[in-house]
């Protein structure tokens, strides 16, 4: 029920705003910040007054999923009732995940009981940082990750529809837009060698946790003669076959939300 707010705050350049509001004028504002390697801080601020002297009180804030999950370690602080009631949620990642946490909000407004539920804009891409390397270093990594036969090398390739195919825009127009999306999701995107004539983009990111850093590579490429669809590929290398084994599929699910919903 807060999909538009959820979606707009998933990208790294849009990390604060209102994440929930209802007809009672109750608003929940959210600010996301990195507080440690592999740890995100979600600061929630609740509208203190709605009308007259009615104050939002007795706030109970919990999650209806991920409560005992091995995928995420989530700690929720007590509400601080200052001028604006606030609380902080600390999130650490233990493994890949594809379902956002669902927040349960209960409170009182005067004599009225308030109950709400909404999705938290937290998916695997929130833990990605640009991989600060050059395209010269990227290229041999791509070939290594693509051709290795060991089970700890993970590969994903998908054929995706070009949603701009009927807009009169070129392949390059779409790839520029896709490159901006990948940047906002945490990837470093390399500039094409010829910015006036290209049909492929590529880039890389690091999934950073307290225990491990995992390099992730992507490519998006068209056949120059085919505008309707393109190949989207992801590669990574983990320490073992099972470690973060669904990582690429979960990142793909986030990209697909925008490109081919």
């Amino acid at each position: 029920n807060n999909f538009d707010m959820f979606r707009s705050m998933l990208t790294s350049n849009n990390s604060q705003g209102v994440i929930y509001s209802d007809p009672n004028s109750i608003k929940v504002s959210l600010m996301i910040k990195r507080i440690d390697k592999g740890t995100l801080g979600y600061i929630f601020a609740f509208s203190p007054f709605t009308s007259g002297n009615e104050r939002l009180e007795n706030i109970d804030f919990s999650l209806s999923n991920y409560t005992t999950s091995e995928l995420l370690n989530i700690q929720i602080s007590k509400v601080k009732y200052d001028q604006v009631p606030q609380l902080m949620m600390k999130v650490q990642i233990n493994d890949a995940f594809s379902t956002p946490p669902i927040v349960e909000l209960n409170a009182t407004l005067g004599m009225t009981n308030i109950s709400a539920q909404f999705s938290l804009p937290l998916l695997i891409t929130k833990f990605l940082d640009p991989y600060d390397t050059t395209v010269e270093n990227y290229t041999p990594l791509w070939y290594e990750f693509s051709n290795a036969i060991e089970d700890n090398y993970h590969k994903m390739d998908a054929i995706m529809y070009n949603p701009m195919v009927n807009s009169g825009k070129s392949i390059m127009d779409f790839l520029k837009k896709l490159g901006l999306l990948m940047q906002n999701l945490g990837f470093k995107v390399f500039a094409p060698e010829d910015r006036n004539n290209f049909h492929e983009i590529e880039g890389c990111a690091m999934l950073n946790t307290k225990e491990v850093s995992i390099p992730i590579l992507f490519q998006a490429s068209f056949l120059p003669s085919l505008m309707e669809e393109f190949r989207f590929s992801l590669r990574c290398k983990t320490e073992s076959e099972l470690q973060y084994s669904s990582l690429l599929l979960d990142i793909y699910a986030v990209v697909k939300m925008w490109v081919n919903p």
Side-chain angles (χ1 to χ4, degrees):
N1 60 357
N2 67 320
F3 179 75
D4 290 339
M5 300 175 188
F6 173 93
R7 194 170 182 264
S8 69
M9 295 182 69
L10 271 181
T11 52
S12 59
N13 66 348
N14 193 359
S15 59
Q16 61 183 41
V18 175
I19 191 57
Y20 174 79
S21 61
D22 72 1
N24 295 300
S25 299
I26 294 173
K27 292 184 179 180
V28 182
S29 301
L30 173 63
M31 181 175 72
I32 308 169
K33 65 177 185 176
R34 188 67 54 91
I35 57 177
D36 197 0
K37 184 178 180 181
T39 305
L40 297 175
Y42 283 67
I43 301 174
F44 300 87
F46 307 91
S47 52
F49 298 98
T50 56
S51 61
N53 293 322
E54 290 184 328
R55 187 178 183 91
L56 195 66
E57 297 178 312
N58 302 315
I59 298 170
D60 180 52
F61 199 79
S62 61
L63 302 181
S64 61
N65 56 355
Y66 292 110
T67 51
T68 58
S69 171
E70 296 180 355
L71 304 179
L72 295 171
N73 179 20
I74 300 177
Q75 298 177 346
I76 303 176
S77 72
K78 293 182 179 180
V79 180
K80 292 184 178 179
Y81 287 93
D82 296 327
Q83 292 295 321
V84 177
Q86 287 188 354
L87 65 80
M88 174 181 276
M89 177 185 295
K90 293 182 180 180
V91 183
Q92 292 178 342
I93 182 174
N94 299 323
D95 206 337
F97 66 102
S98 59
T99 303
I102 304 299
V103 171
E104 299 278 359
L105 171 64
N106 293 282
T108 57
L109 180 64
M111 300 296 291
T112 304
N113 292 323
I114 303 297
S115 181
Q117 185 182 79
F118 55 91
S119 297
L120 189 62
L122 173 65
L123 288 176
I124 191 70
T125 50
K126 279 297 181 184
F127 295 91
L128 300 182
D129 293 306
Y131 183 8
D132 189 16
T133 189
T134 64
V135 69
E136 289 78 15
N137 291 332
Y138 165 94
T139 301
L141 278 180
W142 178 264
Y143 285 109
E144 175 194 341
F145 289 13
S146 296
N147 297 320
I149 60 173
E150 293 85 353
D151 291 333
N152 62 317
Y153 286 87
H154 305 280
K155 310 161 194 177
M156 194 226 75
D157 297 277
I159 300 300
M160 301 184 74
Y161 173 70
N162 176 7
M164 294 172 58
V165 67
N166 295 318
S167 66
K169 301 290 186 179
S170 69
I171 287 173
M172 291 186 292
D173 290 328
F174 170 73
L175 287 176
K176 289 175 183 177
K177 191 171 183 179
L178 178 62
L180 180 60
L181 169 64
M182 299 306 291
Q183 268 188 332
N184 290 340
L185 293 178
F187 283 83
K188 177 177 181 177
V189 180
F190 299 110
E193 186 173 339
D194 183 353
R195 299 192 183 201
N196 297 313
N197 184 20
F198 62 94
H199 54 84
E200 177 180 282
I201 59 171
E202 52 195 4
C204 47
M206 295 288 285
L207 174 74
N208 286 312
T209 75
K210 283 187 173 296
E211 292 77 24
V212 67
S213 293
I214 300 173
I216 303 161
L217 316 179
F218 94 90
Q219 281 188 357
S221 60
F222 283 86
L223 292 173
S225 59
L226 184 63
M227 290 188 60
E228 288 79 9
E229 56 190 30
F230 65 99
R231 179 177 60 87
F232 183 78
S233 303
L234 290 165
R235 305 283 188 268
C236 76
K237 177 185 179 183
T238 57
E239 294 179 356
S240 67
E241 176 186 358
L242 297 178
Q243 183 191 44
Y244 291 90
S245 58
S246 68
L247 175 61
L248 299 188
L249 287 174
D250 294 343
I251 292 175
Y252 168 69
V254 181
V255 176
K256 186 177 182 296
M257 185 190 306
W258 270 268
V259 181
N260 292 162

